[in-house]
């Protein structure tokens, strides 16, 4: 039993990451429902809040500080423990070795260590709810000076903030170890015949993502260390002179909060691509399999991914247009930011090219893949608007940005995870998910996310500021109350529909129809081995790869797909 | 090699923080580097040579001596962490470097017990990256001194 829990098998570790992400996403989802509830009923007494937070919600009414700490925890959980963890740690761990014909990752024990460090990071983060003062309230970006001065900046900025930094530092270390493992595995362990040009786009995506996280998380780790020293060591990296917080003059001098912003966003922007690139690789594969056509422009897809990865490191300044940066720097960052639109457009064009003239199979995985393309475009368009400094100055602290990043980063990546779940569940657990429940889940979620995040753009354009715990004091926002009522109720519906997904997931684990080896008639290596695969993936057989990853509907062939594996390994 | 990539980025982040922080305010108080760091530099260079000759035990011993020397440097350093940005960066840079050296010593000892072609290559790259990074750290600290 212990051997199975502390396994070094990449498939077990992949599932562990997946369920860690599932637990995190559920907590994050519940927190967002609490926020939406509070926003439309700020004065209503809610028993549940009081039970959960006797101090922060005394009498059942959420204090502004509690609202902010819930927001901070929602963001941190979602960005780190869901968007970063599931696509890369979960699916990547499970399928990367199988897809390249390896029996495990390059460093299996290091891999297990990474998972356990990630779990520790999650527990430390959740522990912040239980320390005196509660969870931090500085947002997932933890901007100094208020994140660096301790309890006087707010109840959660004391012990809670320390827990946050510790959690993020642990997470960074685990992410660094994982990325080293991923890169080494792709370089060293490919089966004979698995040339770079035959690698599935999922493998390219995990590989590229690993390179990004190797470079980005090291910077976050350095920034976290400096922040911790400002809090505990009496240093002044991020704290300026003459700072007065809560009527107290602080004994720091000469530092700059902007330094944190630069370091943080040098990590933070690439982080967006860490979340989305694995999804892009997976969506390419699912679209190809379910339209029975090869991926359109395979090499352009690889090139676009590498370009996005590179550009991701030179656009961090667009998160700081309102920080008072020189307009000349802003223009440089703006132009570079708009350049990201080029590889993104290449990818979208190629997805459409893959679908064009295909014989579409609209299973749930395919529906979520199509949904991904839809929200990626919808969320990306507004990115072009926000990339203009003049537009951003007005929109930056409004709901427009909330709508934008939730669509492009949150919903798109979550749709990729759903697509991945419906597509790979048969391989991971040997059983099929229920397609009817899945379709209900998809359609309500798909319409729902637009119902939530498009109105947020409208509210933002009307000047509705973000991060505010309630709007009742602001006369000019009273006309927007109906928008928030609509958003909240839509979000409750979408949240409820996720229960259907959970039911489907756990019911199918035990009761789902048995999965065949290759239910989707896909070509990559994982579909040549039993569902679920044996301990060393290929049962000791040596694998030879004889063709590319997407040979569908090749003229003159009898079958409309051809497996990558040379012989069926036994 | 990949670990080296992450280390180089980590130190790049700290170095850029130092350069920016120094340009920020008029509070940059110069601090003298303890003389023992020059001895430590020589010890680290010698351990690099030992690695090249596959003398893992010797290299690990020299690595440990380097760490002891750095601890001495911390003790004889004329300022505390909180006394100014230059002093703070001295502690941060040498501290982070020291933690990596500690890991390196463990790796050298592992090679001393049992070396495979893979581990030899990995440890060589890791150790020489640390040596190179030490030269960068030293230059930064010398520059921060003025």
């Amino acid at each position: 039993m212990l051997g199975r829990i502390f396994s070094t098998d990449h498939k077990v570790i992949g599932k562990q990451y997946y369920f860690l992400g599932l637990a995190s996403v559920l907590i994050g989802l519940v927190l967002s429902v609490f926020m939406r509830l509070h926003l439309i009923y700020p004065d209503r007494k809610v028993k549940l809040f009081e039970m959960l937070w006797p101090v922060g919600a005394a009498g059942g009414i959420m204090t502004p500080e509690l609202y902010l700490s819930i927001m901070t925890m929602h963001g941190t959980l979602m960005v780190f423990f869901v968007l970063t963890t599931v696509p890369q740690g979960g699916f990547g761990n499970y399928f990367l070795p199988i897809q390249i014909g390896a029996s495990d990752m390059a460093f299996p024990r290091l891999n297990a260590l990474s998972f356990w460090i990630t779990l520790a990071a999650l527990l430390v983060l959740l522990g912040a709810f239980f320390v005196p003062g509660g969870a931090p309230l500085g947002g997932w970006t933890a901007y100094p000076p208020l994140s660096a001065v301790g309890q006087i900046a707010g109840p959660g900025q004391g012990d809670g903030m320390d827990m946050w930094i510790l959690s993020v530092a642990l997470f960074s270390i685990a992410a660094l170890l994982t990325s080293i493992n991923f890169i080494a595995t792709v370089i060293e362990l490919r089966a004979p015949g698995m040339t770079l040009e035959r690698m599935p786009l999922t493998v390219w995506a995990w590989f590229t993502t690993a390179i990004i996280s190797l470079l980005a998380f090291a910077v976050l780790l350095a920034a976290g260390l400096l922040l911790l020293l400002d809090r505990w060591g009496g240093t002044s990296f991020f704290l300026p002179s003459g700072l007065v917080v809560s009527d107290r003059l602080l004994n720091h001098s000469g530092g700059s909060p902007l330094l944190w912003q630069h370091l943080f966003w040098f990590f933070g922007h690439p982080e967006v691509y860490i979340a989305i690139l694995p999804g892009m690789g997976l969506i390419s594969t699912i679209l190809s399999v379910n339209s029975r056509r090869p991926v359109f422009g395979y090499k352009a897809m690889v090139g676009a991914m590498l370009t996005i990865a590179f550009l991701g490191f030179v656009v961090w300044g667009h998160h700081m247009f309102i920080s008072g940066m020189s307009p000349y720097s802003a223009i440089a960052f703006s132009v570079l930011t708009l350049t990201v639109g080029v590889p993104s457009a290449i990818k979208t064009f190629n997805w459409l090219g893959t679908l064009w003239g295909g014989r579409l199979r609209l299973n749930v995985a395919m529906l979520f893949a199509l949904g991904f393309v839809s929200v990626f475009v919808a969320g990306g368009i507004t990115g072009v608007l926000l990339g203009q400094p003049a537009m951003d100055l007005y929109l930056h602290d409004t709901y427009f940005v909330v709508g934008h990043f939730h669509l492009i980063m949150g919903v798109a990546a979550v749709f990729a995870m759903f697509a991945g779940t419906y597509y790979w569940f048969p391989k991971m657990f040997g059983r099929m998910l229920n397609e009817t429940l899945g379709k209900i889940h998809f359609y309500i979620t798909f319409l729902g996310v637009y119902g939530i995040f498009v109105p947020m753009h409208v509210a933002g354009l009307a000047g509705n500021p973000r991060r505010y715990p309630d709007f009742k004091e602001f006369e000019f926002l009273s006309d927007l109350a109906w928008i928030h009522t609509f958003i909240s109720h839509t979000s409750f519906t979408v949240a409820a529909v996720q229960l259907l997904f959970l039911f489907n997931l756990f019911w199918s684990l035990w009761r789902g129809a048995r999965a065949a080896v290759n239910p989707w008639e896909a070509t990559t290596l994982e579909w040549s081995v039993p569902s679920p695969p044996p301990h060393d993936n290929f049962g000791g057989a040596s694998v030879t790869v004889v063709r590319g990853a997407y040979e569908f509907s090749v003229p003159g062939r009898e079958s409309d797909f051809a497996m990558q594996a040379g012989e069926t390994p036994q | 090699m990949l670990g080296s990539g992450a280390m180089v980025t980590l130190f790049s982040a700290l170095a850029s923080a130092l350069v920016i922080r120094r340009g920020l305010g008029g509070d940059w108080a110069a601090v003298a580097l303890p003389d023992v760091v020059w001895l430590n530099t020589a010890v680290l260079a010698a351990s690099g040579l030992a690695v090249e000759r596959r003398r893992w035990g010797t290299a690990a011993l020299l690595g440990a001596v380097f760490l002891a020397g750095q601890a001495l440097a911390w003790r004889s350093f004329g300022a505390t962490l909180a006394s100014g940005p230059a002093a703070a960066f001295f502690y941060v840079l040498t501290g982070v470097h020291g933690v990596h050296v500690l890991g390196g010593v463990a790796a050298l000892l592992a090679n001393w017990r049992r070396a495979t072609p893979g581990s030899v290559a990995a440890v060589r790259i890791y150790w020489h990256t640390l040596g190179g990074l030490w030269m960068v750290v030293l230059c930064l600290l010398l520059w921060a001194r003025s």
Side-chain angles (χ1 to χ4, degrees):
Chain A
M1 187 64 194
L2 277 182
R4 281 171 72 183
I5 293 175
F6 295 99
S7 172
T8 57
D9 181 358
H10 69 98
K11 297 190 289 298
V12 176
I13 295 169
K15 283 193 259 183
Q16 286 170 329
Y17 271 117
Y18 183 86
F19 285 108
L20 180 144
L22 191 65
S24 307
V25 82
L26 288 175
I27 302 170
L29 182 74
V30 169
L31 292 178
S32 68
V33 167
F34 287 172
M35 283 189 282
R36 288 312 315 179
L37 199 61
H38 177 73
L39 281 174
I40 56 168
Y41 303 117
D43 298 321
R44 190 171 295 185
K45 291 178 177 137
V46 184
K47 270 262 166 55
L48 183 65
F49 292 168
E50 193 178 13
M51 278 161 57
L52 289 170
W53 293 281
V55 182
I61 294 177
M62 205 184 269
T63 58
E65 288 81 7
L66 177 63
Y67 177 87
L68 289 176
S69 67
I70 290 178
M71 184 194 79
T72 303
M73 295 295 268
H74 167 79
T76 311
L77 278 169
M78 292 301 201
V79 170
F80 290 104
F81 295 94
V82 181
L83 301 181
T84 313
T85 299
V86 175
Q88 186 81 356
F91 291 135
N93 253 309
Y94 198 106
F95 289 105
L96 175 92
I98 310 184
Q99 287 196 338
I100 60 171
S103 61
D104 208 320
M105 298 291 270
F107 311 109
R109 270 183 294 172
L110 193 67
N111 201 20
L113 182 68
S114 307
F115 170 75
W116 292 105
I117 296 177
T118 308
L119 179 64
L122 175 63
L123 295 178
V124 169
L125 183 72
L126 294 175
F129 271 128
F130 302 99
V131 295
L137 35 91
W140 83 281
T141 55
Y143 276 8
L146 295 183
S147 63
V149 295
Q151 192 90 39
I152 55 168
Q157 299 300 83
D159 295 351
M161 192 68 222
D162 287 324
M163 302 283 273
W164 186 93
I165 299 173
L166 182 62
S167 168
V168 166
L170 285 172
F171 190 92
S172 301
I173 292 169
L176 288 172
L177 297 179
T178 300
S179 48
I180 290 172
N181 218 340
F182 272 57
I183 298 171
T185 306
V186 173
I187 292 175
E188 296 289 335
L189 296 185
R190 279 174 290 127
M194 181 56 84
T195 58
L196 290 180
E197 290 183 8
R198 283 177 178 168
M199 287 202 312
L201 286 173
T202 38
V203 175
W204 271 110
W206 289 317
F207 182 57
T208 315
T209 305
I211 297 172
I212 305 176
S213 37
L214 187 71
L215 303 176
F217 275 103
V219 176
L220 182 64
L221 190 59
L225 176 68
L226 298 185
L227 185 59
L228 210 57
L229 285 176
D230 267 7
R231 293 172 62 83
W232 288 104
T235 57
S236 306
F237 296 110
F238 305 128
L239 291 170
S241 316
L243 187 67
V244 177
V245 178
S246 302
D247 296 329
R248 202 181 315 167
L249 179 65
L250 297 176
N251 186 25
H252 288 273
S253 69
S256 164
L258 282 180
L259 181 55
W260 168 269
Q261 292 195 22
H262 281 291
L263 289 172
F264 183 86
W265 287 115
F266 190 82
F267 148 78
H269 196 78
E271 164 63 32
V272 176
Y273 301 120
I274 293 173
I276 203 75
L277 277 179
M280 289 178 161
L282 171 61
I283 288 333
S284 306
T285 299
I286 292 179
L287 291 180
S288 165
V289 169
N290 290 305
S291 51
R292 315 310 291 165
R293 302 225 320 128
V295 168
F296 184 85
Y298 172 90
K299 282 186 188 168
M301 287 304 231
V302 175
M305 266 194 281
L306 296 173
T307 313
I308 289 175
F310 169 73
L311 289 175
F313 279 103
V314 290
V315 299
W316 78 92
H318 71 220
H319 297 270
M320 301 168 58
F321 285 151
I322 59 163
S323 69
M325 69 161 56
S326 144
Y328 297 109
S329 317
I331 284 295
F333 279 122
S334 174
V335 171
L336 287 165
T337 301
L338 299 186
T339 314
V340 180
V342 177
S344 307
I346 291 175
K347 297 205 78 83
T348 310
F349 181 81
N350 287 357
W351 286 326
L352 298 179
T354 307
L355 293 169
W356 193 262
R359 284 166 288 130
L360 303 193
R361 294 177 176 175
L362 292 176
N363 50 43
V364 185
M366 180 65 161
L367 290 174
F368 271 108
L370 294 170
F372 174 96
V373 177
S374 167
V375 292
F376 180 73
V377 172
I381 293 282
T382 53
V384 180
L385 299 182
L386 290 169
Q388 323 278 346
M391 294 286 283
D392 186 68
L393 288 182
Y394 174 70
L395 292 169
H396 192 84
D397 275 326
T398 72
Y399 265 84
F400 193 89
V401 172
V402 181
H404 160 71
F405 74 72
H406 274 93
L407 273 184
I408 190 99
M409 185 186 183
V411 178
V414 166
F415 270 34
M417 285 178 235
F418 280 138
T421 305
Y422 284 101
Y423 181 68
W424 274 322
F425 185 90
K427 186 53 66 183
M428 292 170 80
F429 300 101
R431 290 178 186 272
M432 306 296 287
L433 283 165
N434 184 302
E435 286 278 310
T436 312
L437 290 181
K439 282 181 184 165
I440 300 171
H441 173 223
F442 167 76
Y443 283 111
I444 297 180
T445 308
F446 180 68
L447 293 176
V449 292
Y450 275 113
I452 295 167
F453 297 113
V454 170
M456 284 191 186
H457 289 84
V458 179
L461 282 173
N464 193 338
R466 57 176 165 142
R467 303 192 187 97
Y468 282 27
D470 66 62
F471 309 122
K472 58 180 190 278
E473 285 172 36
F474 304 96
E475 185 69 40
F476 77 104
L477 293 175
S478 56
D479 288 345
L480 299 175
W482 69 273
I483 291 188
H484 282 286
T485 310
F486 180 80
I487 294 173
S488 286
H489 285 104
T490 316
S491 76
F492 303 151
T493 313
V494 171
V497 168
Q498 305 317 310
L499 295 175
L500 197 65
F501 167 72
L502 279 185
F503 171 76
N504 194 359
L505 190 75
F506 287 101
W507 188 82
S508 304
L509 268 181
W510 285 281
R511 295 289 170 81
R514 291 270 175 203
V517 168
N518 190 4
W520 314 120
E521 299 185 302
T523 55
T524 45
L525 290 183
E526 79 269 31
W527 303 107
S528 302
V529 295
S531 311
H535 181 72
D536 66 352
N537 298 343
F538 299 95
S542 60
V543 196
T544 325
V545 177
V546 291
R547 52 179 75 83
Y550 302 103
E551 299 209 354
F552 292 101
S553 306
V554 178
R557 283 218 189 113
E558 214 164 274
S559 160
D560 79 339
F561 67 106
M563 304 303 288
Q564 279 198 286
E567 300 150 38
T568 314
Q570 288 307 317
Chain B
M1 191 189 83
L2 302 162
S4 306
M7 276 166 8
V8 170
T9 330
L10 179 72
F11 279 95
S12 309
L14 292 172
S16 63
L18 181 145
V19 175
I20 300 291
R21 179 66 180 80
R22 190 181 179 207
L24 273 178
D27 66 334
W28 194 271
V31 282
L33 271 184
D35 288 335
V36 68
V37 297
W38 297 108
L39 192 65
N40 295 345
T41 308
V43 170
L44 195 63
S47 81
L49 278 178
V51 164
E52 276 311 290
R53 304 198 165 176
R54 308 288 187 269
R55 301 262 168 81
W56 307 113
T58 315
L61 187 68
L62 288 168
V65 171
F66 171 81
L67 283 176
Q70 291 291 83
L72 213 61
W74 274 34
R75 285 194 59 175
S76 58
F77 191 60
T80 63
L81 184 64
S83 61
F89 273 108
F90 168 81
Y91 282 110
V92 169
L93 287 168
T94 53
V96 171
H97 184 262
V99 169
H100 283 85
V101 170
L102 195 64
V105 169
L108 288 171
L109 287 174
N111 261 11
W112 189 36
R113 280 187 55 198
R114 190 169 151 270
T116 64
S119 74
V120 168
V123 170
R124 265 185 68 197
I125 294 175
Y126 182 84
W127 196 255
H128 292 322
T129 307
L130 273 182
L133 281 173
W134 173 247
M135 299 314 292
V136 176
V137 167
L138 201 59
C139 291
L140 281 172
L141 292 175
L142 285 173
W143 178 69
R145 193 181 56 167
S146 55

